[in-house]
Amino acid sequence: MRATQVPYRGAGPALVDLLSGQVDLGPISAVVAGPLVNTGKLKAYATIGRKRFAGLPGLPTMGELGYKKLDIDFWHMLLAPAGTPRPIVDKLNSALRAALADAKVDKTFAEGGMDLYQEDEETPEAASALLKREIKLWGDVIRTNHIATQ
């Protein structure tokens, strides 16, 4: 079977086409897909990540299926424009860390299958290091597989 990539302007349009049968498969966030899988509207095959998604505990990870290179984690990052003064960056980081420390936020994240980073990893420096590692990782994937960018 040959797959054709269909670029979408976000998960919403991709999900609509998947549910309507316009496309046969697609990568959809487990948080979004979980309820649709649980009601039988979508069939899930695996998740990408180092551990199983709490909302679909019977669904294996790609690593468990033998694709160890897909034992990668999904992450979110708060970004500001380049050149943002450090006092503003520190104030944003402080507010973000306060929000992440809130029990309601922690519960919401946990229910969505998302783990928070350790406190020492919630710094602008740690975020910058993560972003640099990810750019290198995915840049290498693109070059190794001769993926054309447009």
Side-chain angles (χ1 to χ4, degrees):
M1 178 175 150
R2 182 167 169 80
T4 301
Q5 178 191 5
V6 179
Y8 283 94
R9 290 185 171 267
L15 187 59
V16 168
D17 279 0
L18 187 60
L19 288 167
S20 69
Q22 296 298 309
V23 295
D24 296 320
L25 59 97
I28 303 294
S29 156
V31 173
V32 172
L36 297 166
V37 170
N38 287 331
T39 60
K41 292 181 180 170
L42 285 179
K43 165 81 171 137
Y45 294 96
T47 60
I48 294 175
R50 294 180 194 174
K51 65 183 195 176
R52 291 184 179 209
F53 173 61
L56 298 167
L59 188 64
T61 67
M62 291 292 283
E64 290 174 315
L65 295 175
Y67 301 95
K68 295 292 183 190
K69 288 185 178 180
L70 291 173
D71 275 346
I72 53 177
D73 289 322
F74 183 76
W75 49 268
H76 292 86
M77 187 177 290
L78 179 63
L79 301 168
T84 300
R86 184 61 194 226
I88 293 173
V89 170
D90 289 340
K91 188 173 183 176
L92 287 168
N93 184 250
S94 178
L96 176 62
R97 291 173 83 161
L100 294 175
D102 182 274
K104 289 180 185 176
V105 172
D106 186 50
K107 182 177 185 276
T108 300
F109 273 54
E111 288 172 352
M114 295 177 274
D115 296 319
L116 298 177
Y117 281 93
Q118 298 296 318
E119 195 170 315
D120 64 333
E121 296 176 307
E122 295 176 353
T123 66
E125 293 75 22
S128 179
L130 171 65
L131 190 55
K132 286 176 183 171
R133 286 191 308 272
E134 290 287 309
I135 289 170
K136 180 183 180 338
L137 169 73
W138 294 109
D140 290 348
V141 167
I142 289 167
R143 282 185 291 283
T144 300
N145 292 286
H146 308 288
I147 297 171
T149 57
Q150 296 185 23

